[in-house]
Amino acid sequence: HAMDSKVGEVLLYYCYCEVKDPEKLCAWQKALCQHLHLTGKVRVASEGINGTVGGSKVATSLYIEVMLSQPLFKDILCQEDFKSSAGGAHCFPDLRVGVFKEIVPMGIDPKIVSYKETGIHLSPQEFHREVEQYLSQASQGQSDTILLDCRNFYESKIGHFQGCLAPDIRKFSYFPSYVDENLEVFKDKRVLMYCTGGIRCERGSAYLRSKAVCREVYQLKGGIHKYLEEFPDGFYRGKLFVFDDRYAICSNEDIISACRYCGSLWDQYKLCSSQHCRQLVLTCPSCRNKGLTACCPVCQEKELKVTSRASGQTLKEECECTRRRPRVPIEHVSQRTLDAGK
């Protein structure tokens, strides 16, 4: 069966550590991935490395072995830090390895808010217990805790922890302003924070802590990825969004989101069919068959009258979806009802 050759794996990992020569690490990393025929994305910075790569099982296990023996990461990175899921090199269009200022783009200089000031790490088991306690207290309307999803809206839309606060933000770089604008929400609260693989929480929790308003800040070690390995049917419902051509991986059969057009349960993203739009859209097969393949009417229109532009001009277009969304949403605490019972 031809597909079997494709059954490899996708790895997700990060390591915060001091990198004296990011350019050199970048070149080494690129050569390593090419040698193992891995595709994916790797970000290198003076604060560490963050990557997601796909290839055959042989290649990914060799990759882990080499990474663990690399002197830079030797005492920091361990086997546990690699999250894996079924996939392969076909999950990414190509290999991109580059040097950046931050290994996760929060948009704040690592010298100003360092990963060293991070929150308290909880294992999936500890996090599970905390969420359980939080949900039972919240259902009685007496919780001093906020379960905070620090991912983007299109990630939390298709899967999230029950009773979470999921900011309606488009990029992680809006997270700091989100915190600034909503400090009241976090005042004197215990915050339980989570993201896909744990990396956004490292800087996100450090940023939240720097504001000195929360009672305590906790974060899920290894992210949703590790949580689902332990609790596939736990308090996380729906799919886990991933940043590759799969868009989502599944641990339980729940579908928590709906088709944009007809409202039937649907959680498989496609890119908006309008040429320059990079929005993801939830549109079910029957709506797609009717030609409803864009993220909103504005884009649907544009697609019908495909304008002849000077070639090479790829504009990220504004449409209803991008215009209607405030960059930084303000939470109205008093009216916020938790769907804790759901």
Side-chain angles (χ1 to χ4, degrees):
H1 187 236
M3 262 305 284
D4 291 346
S5 62
K6 278 190 162 179
V7 180
E9 168 166 79
V10 170
L11 298 177
L12 179 69
Y13 72 93
Y14 67 88
C15 180
Y16 276 105
C17 59
E18 220 174 297
V19 180
K20 294 271 195 289
D21 191 344
E23 297 293 342
K24 189 178 169 188
L25 181 63
C26 179
W28 170 79
Q29 183 62 216
K30 199 171 187 170
L32 173 63
C33 290
Q34 283 169 342
H35 181 69
L36 295 171
H37 302 290
L38 295 173
T39 57
K41 296 171 274 200
V42 182
R43 290 175 72 98
V44 177
S46 52
E47 61 170 359
I49 187 168
N50 172 18
T52 178
V53 294
S56 71
K57 284 255 168 93
V58 173
T60 52
S61 59
L62 275 169
Y63 181 79
I64 294 175
E65 209 177 303
V66 175
M67 291 297 282
L68 294 178
S69 62
Q70 155 67 261
L72 266 175
F73 316 131
K74 214 174 161 71
D75 302 317
I76 315 163
L77 205 52
C78 64
Q79 186 85 35
E80 267 292 275
D81 295 320
F82 290 86
K83 298 109 204 169
S84 68
S85 54
H90 61 283
C91 295
F92 301 92
D94 52 20
L95 171 68
R96 290 183 196 173
V97 187
V99 174
F100 297 83
K101 196 168 183 159
E102 305 169 276
I103 58 172
V104 66
M106 189 166 81
I108 292 199
D109 194 315
K111 291 186 195 71
I112 296 169
V113 174
S114 163
Y115 67 90
K116 292 173 183 148
E117 306 299 317
T118 181
I120 298 159
H121 293 72
L122 300 179
S123 69
Q125 289 82 357
E126 294 169 320
F127 197 82
H128 186 76
R129 278 200 299 273
E130 282 286 347
V131 174
E132 192 164 32
Q133 205 181 343
Y134 156 71
L135 289 174
S136 71
Q137 285 172 347
S139 64
Q140 292 150 33
Q142 47 168 18
S143 182
D144 58 348
T145 301
I146 289 179
L147 180 53
L148 179 64
D149 190 321
C150 56
R151 300 171 303 157
N152 307 324
F153 75 89
Y154 53 85
E155 298 174 79
S156 54
K157 194 180 193 168
I158 61 164
H160 54 242
F161 274 96
Q162 291 169 42
C164 73
L165 169 60
D168 193 12
I169 53 176
R170 197 166 56 83
K171 292 178 173 168
F172 185 55
S173 55
Y174 298 164
F175 182 77
S177 331
Y178 173 80
V179 169
D180 295 353
E181 299 289 329
N182 292 287
L183 280 179
E184 273 304 301
V185 177
F186 299 107
K187 205 166 162 32
D188 301 324
K189 291 277 194 274
R190 297 170 75 243
V191 177
L192 297 173
M193 211 182 218
Y194 69 89
C195 61
T196 309
I199 186 169
R200 280 179 278 188
C201 288
E202 300 280 14
R203 297 282 311 286
S205 66
Y207 188 80
L208 190 52
R209 287 189 65 212
S210 74
K211 297 287 146 183
V213 294
C214 302
R215 203 140 52 92
E216 292 154 327
V217 181
Y218 297 96
Q219 68 198 70
L220 172 56
K221 188 176 182 340
I224 302 160
H225 233 296
K226 285 286 182 195
Y227 178 84
L228 289 176
E229 282 178 21
E230 308 277 338
F231 302 100
D233 246 318
F235 298 117
Y236 185 89
R237 306 316 298 175
K239 307 273 188 296
L240 171 58
F241 186 96
V242 286
F243 289 90
D244 59 56
D245 294 350
R246 297 170 300 172
Y247 291 132
I249 51 186
C250 158
S251 86
N252 53 55
E253 293 308 303
D254 280 16
I255 299 178
I256 64 161
S257 49
C259 169
R260 188 218 185 289
Y261 290 98
C262 71
S264 64
L265 287 175
W266 188 249
D267 63 4
Q268 292 172 39
Y269 278 121
K270 287 264 196 290
L271 272 175
C272 171
S273 53
S274 173
Q275 216 187 335
H276 303 299
C277 182
R278 305 298 295 158
Q279 301 277 332
L280 290 167
V281 58
L282 292 170
T283 162
C284 74
S286 70
C287 289
R288 293 187 73 80
N289 288 339
K290 292 176 194 150
L292 299 168
T293 52
C295 65
C296 64
V298 172
C299 274
Q300 198 73 52
E301 271 301 288
K302 276 181 191 152
E303 206 204 343
L304 296 174
K305 46 171 198 273
V306 175
T307 45
S308 50
R309 275 225 184 77
S311 63
Q313 237 196 330
T314 51
L315 298 170
K316 256 195 182 175
E317 292 196 357
E318 283 285 308
C319 66
E320 268 177 38
C321 299
T322 48
R323 267 203 303 272
R324 277 213 309 262
R325 170 163 295 102
R327 236 192 80 157
V328 180
I330 309 295
E331 304 293 347
H332 300 290
V333 197
S334 51
Q335 297 150 17
R336 205 181 117 235
T337 52
L338 285 172
D339 57 345
K342 256 198 196 153

